[in-house]
Amino acid sequence: PSYPLYAKRYPLILSKFPDSSNDAVKGLLESSIDDLGEPGWDNFFSTGRINAAKALASPYQSYVQITAPELDAGFAGGNVEIRGTATGTFLQEFILEIGQGETPEVWTELYREANRQIVDQYIFTLNTDGFPDTIYTLKLAVQNKNGTSVEDKVRIFIDSSPPVISN
Protein backbone atom coordinates (compact mmCIF):
# COMPACT_ATOMS: atom_id res chain seq x y z
CA PRO A 1 0.00 0.00 0.00
CA SER A 2 1.07 3.55 -0.59
CA TYR A 3 1.94 5.92 2.24
CA PRO A 4 -1.00 8.26 1.48
CA LEU A 5 -3.32 5.30 2.15
CA TYR A 6 -1.57 4.74 5.48
CA ALA A 7 -1.78 8.45 6.33
CA LYS A 8 -5.55 8.50 5.82
CA ARG A 9 -5.98 5.69 8.35
CA TYR A 10 -3.54 6.94 11.04
CA PRO A 11 -6.09 9.24 12.77
CA LEU A 12 -8.66 6.45 12.84
CA ILE A 13 -6.23 4.03 14.51
CA LEU A 14 -4.96 6.70 16.92
CA SER A 15 -8.55 7.44 17.98
CA LYS A 16 -8.73 3.90 19.40
CA PHE A 17 -5.07 3.52 20.45
CA PRO A 18 -4.08 7.11 21.41
CA ASP A 19 -0.84 6.11 23.16
CA SER A 20 0.54 4.24 20.15
CA SER A 21 3.73 5.38 18.44
CA ASN A 22 3.77 6.03 14.69
CA ASP A 23 5.71 2.78 14.23
CA ALA A 24 3.12 0.82 16.23
CA VAL A 25 0.26 2.26 14.12
CA LYS A 26 2.14 1.44 10.91
CA GLY A 27 2.77 -2.10 12.15
CA LEU A 28 -0.87 -2.55 13.12
CA LEU A 29 -2.04 -1.37 9.70
CA GLU A 30 0.47 -3.65 7.95
CA SER A 31 -0.61 -6.67 9.98
CA SER A 32 -4.25 -6.06 9.01
CA ILE A 33 -3.67 -6.07 5.25
CA ASP A 34 -5.92 -8.36 3.21
CA ASP A 35 -3.70 -10.31 0.81
CA LEU A 36 -4.93 -10.10 -2.78
CA GLY A 37 -3.76 -12.06 -5.81
CA GLU A 38 -0.75 -14.34 -5.36
CA PRO A 39 0.05 -15.16 -1.71
CA GLY A 40 2.40 -12.55 -0.22
CA TRP A 41 3.83 -9.61 -2.14
CA ASP A 42 3.23 -9.52 -5.88
CA ASN A 43 3.79 -6.98 -8.68
CA PHE A 44 0.09 -6.35 -9.29
CA PHE A 45 -1.39 -5.97 -5.77
CA SER A 46 1.83 -5.22 -3.86
CA THR A 47 1.14 -6.34 -0.28
CA GLY A 48 -2.65 -6.10 -0.60
CA ARG A 49 -5.43 -3.85 0.72
CA ILE A 50 -5.37 -2.14 4.12
CA ASN A 51 -8.28 -3.33 6.25
CA ALA A 52 -8.87 -0.57 8.82
CA ALA A 53 -11.77 -2.42 10.47
CA LYS A 54 -9.51 -5.42 11.04
CA ALA A 55 -6.82 -3.12 12.48
CA LEU A 56 -9.30 -1.51 14.89
CA ALA A 57 -10.51 -4.92 16.06
CA SER A 58 -7.01 -6.32 16.55
CA PRO A 59 -5.26 -6.46 19.93
CA TYR A 60 -1.99 -7.11 18.07
CA GLN A 61 0.46 -4.29 17.48
CA SER A 62 3.68 -5.30 15.77
CA TYR A 63 6.60 -3.39 14.34
CA VAL A 64 9.49 -4.59 12.18
CA GLN A 65 12.41 -2.72 10.61
CA ILE A 66 15.79 -3.63 9.18
CA THR A 67 18.05 -0.94 10.67
CA ALA A 68 21.29 -2.07 8.95
CA PRO A 69 22.28 -2.25 6.20
CA GLU A 70 20.60 0.83 4.76
CA LEU A 71 18.45 0.73 1.64
CA ASP A 72 20.58 0.49 -1.53
CA ALA A 73 23.84 -0.10 0.35
CA GLY A 74 26.56 -1.61 -1.81
CA PHE A 75 29.09 -4.28 -0.90
CA ALA A 76 32.13 -5.71 -2.70
CA GLY A 77 32.08 -8.96 -0.74
CA GLY A 78 32.92 -9.83 2.84
CA ASN A 79 30.64 -9.74 5.85
CA VAL A 80 27.46 -7.66 6.13
CA GLU A 81 26.06 -7.18 9.63
CA ILE A 82 22.27 -7.21 9.70
CA ARG A 83 20.51 -5.40 12.53
CA GLY A 84 16.83 -4.85 13.12
CA THR A 85 13.78 -4.32 15.28
CA ALA A 86 11.05 -6.92 15.69
CA THR A 87 8.45 -6.20 18.36
CA GLY A 88 4.84 -6.98 19.06
CA THR A 89 2.44 -7.66 21.87
CA PHE A 90 1.80 -11.19 20.64
CA LEU A 91 4.98 -11.81 18.64
CA GLN A 92 5.45 -15.50 17.92
CA GLU A 93 8.71 -15.30 15.96
CA PHE A 94 10.78 -13.21 13.61
CA ILE A 95 12.41 -14.50 10.43
CA LEU A 96 15.24 -13.00 8.36
CA GLU A 97 15.44 -14.03 4.69
CA ILE A 98 17.32 -13.07 1.53
CA GLY A 99 16.27 -13.27 -2.10
CA GLN A 100 17.92 -12.39 -5.39
CA GLY A 101 16.51 -9.39 -7.27
CA GLU A 102 14.15 -6.56 -6.32
CA THR A 103 11.07 -8.78 -6.05
CA PRO A 104 12.37 -12.26 -5.26
CA GLU A 105 10.14 -15.25 -5.91
CA VAL A 106 12.42 -17.51 -3.89
CA TRP A 107 13.60 -16.67 -0.38
CA THR A 108 16.39 -18.31 1.63
CA GLU A 109 16.00 -18.29 5.39
CA LEU A 110 19.03 -16.85 7.19
CA TYR A 111 17.79 -16.73 10.78
CA ARG A 112 14.67 -17.44 12.84
CA GLU A 113 13.93 -16.87 16.52
CA ALA A 114 10.77 -17.44 18.54
CA ASN A 115 9.35 -15.56 21.53
CA ARG A 116 11.99 -12.82 21.57
CA GLN A 117 11.63 -9.14 20.77
CA ILE A 118 14.58 -7.05 19.60
CA VAL A 119 15.11 -3.32 19.19
CA ASP A 120 17.90 -2.28 16.80
CA GLN A 121 19.92 -5.38 17.70
CA TYR A 122 22.33 -7.61 15.83
CA ILE A 123 20.53 -10.45 14.01
CA PHE A 124 22.93 -12.09 11.58
CA THR A 125 26.24 -11.72 9.73
CA LEU A 126 25.90 -12.44 6.02
CA ASN A 127 29.11 -13.50 4.24
CA THR A 128 28.71 -12.24 0.66
CA ASP A 129 31.97 -13.72 -0.66
CA GLY A 130 31.10 -15.77 -3.73
CA PHE A 131 27.70 -14.10 -4.23
CA PRO A 132 27.03 -13.21 -7.89
CA ASP A 133 27.15 -9.47 -8.57
CA THR A 134 23.53 -8.31 -8.58
CA ILE A 135 20.71 -6.88 -6.46
CA TYR A 136 19.50 -8.75 -3.36
CA THR A 137 16.57 -8.09 -1.05
CA LEU A 138 16.66 -8.72 2.70
CA LYS A 139 13.31 -9.39 4.39
CA LEU A 140 12.62 -9.32 8.13
CA ALA A 141 9.16 -10.58 9.10
CA VAL A 142 7.29 -10.78 12.40
CA GLN A 143 4.75 -13.59 12.75
CA ASN A 144 2.08 -13.02 15.40
CA LYS A 145 0.31 -15.71 17.39
CA ASN A 146 -2.98 -14.93 15.57
CA GLY A 147 -1.46 -15.67 12.15
CA THR A 148 -0.94 -12.05 11.07
CA SER A 149 2.47 -10.85 9.97
CA VAL A 150 4.39 -7.64 9.29
CA GLU A 151 7.54 -7.34 7.19
CA ASP A 152 10.22 -4.90 6.15
CA LYS A 153 12.49 -5.21 3.11
CA VAL A 154 15.81 -3.62 2.22
CA ARG A 155 17.48 -3.80 -1.19
CA ILE A 156 21.29 -4.19 -1.28
CA PHE A 157 23.84 -4.43 -4.10
CA ILE A 158 26.75 -6.84 -4.39
CA ASP A 159 29.45 -5.79 -6.87
CA SER A 160 32.88 -7.36 -6.43
CA SER A 161 34.18 -6.46 -9.89
CA PRO A 162 37.37 -4.36 -9.86
CA PRO A 163 37.01 -0.68 -10.69
CA VAL A 164 37.64 0.37 -14.26
CA ILE A 165 39.68 3.51 -14.88
CA SER A 166 39.00 5.28 -18.13
CA ASN A 167 40.91 8.17 -19.66
Side-chain angles (χ1 to χ4, degrees):
S2 68
Y3 286 103
L5 294 176
Y6 279 106
K8 288 181 177 182
R9 287 153 179 87
Y10 262 71
L12 179 64
I13 300 303
L14 284 174
S15 70
K16 180 167 182 189
F17 305 108
D19 296 328
S20 295
S21 68
N22 286 338
D23 291 337
V25 172
K26 181 177 179 275
L28 182 61
L29 287 169
E30 287 177 351
S31 68
S32 70
I33 289 174
D34 292 330
D35 195 7
L36 305 171
E38 295 292 319
W41 193 95
D42 61 71
N43 285 324
F44 190 73
F45 291 106
S46 181
T47 54
R49 178 182 54 228
I50 296 172
N51 185 332
K54 191 176 181 182
L56 288 170
S58 176
Y60 302 94
Q61 293 188 27
S62 299
Y63 177 68
V64 64
Q65 180 183 23
I66 297 172
T67 55
E70 294 181 357
L71 178 66
D72 291 338
F75 302 94
N79 290 332
V80 176
E81 182 177 289
I82 302 169
R83 300 179 62 86
T85 298
T87 62
T89 310
F90 297 99
L91 177 141
Q92 180 175 325
E93 65 182 349
F94 65 87
I95 305 160
L96 177 66
E97 297 175 297
I98 188 168
Q100 192 170 339
E102 291 189 61
T103 57
E105 293 184 19
V106 177
W107 294 93
T108 301
E109 184 176 308
L110 300 174
Y111 186 80
R112 175 186 299 251
E113 187 160 344
N115 300 315
R116 178 172 170 246
Q117 299 188 52
I118 58 172
V119 177
D120 192 22
Q121 291 181 352
Y122 166 85
I123 301 172
F124 187 80
T125 298
L126 178 66
N127 184 338
T128 62
D129 290 337
F131 275 45
D133 293 350
T134 191
I135 298 168
Y136 292 88
T137 302
L138 295 168
K139 176 171 70 170
L140 181 60
V142 165
Q143 302 291 326
N144 290 315
K145 292 177 183 174
N146 74 338
T148 61
S149 65
V150 181
E151 64 186 38
D152 186 37
K153 295 178 184 170
V154 170
R155 181 180 54 232
I156 62 171
F157 297 88
I158 306 295
D159 185 358
S160 57
S161 60
V164 176
I165 301 173
S166 60
N167 294 343

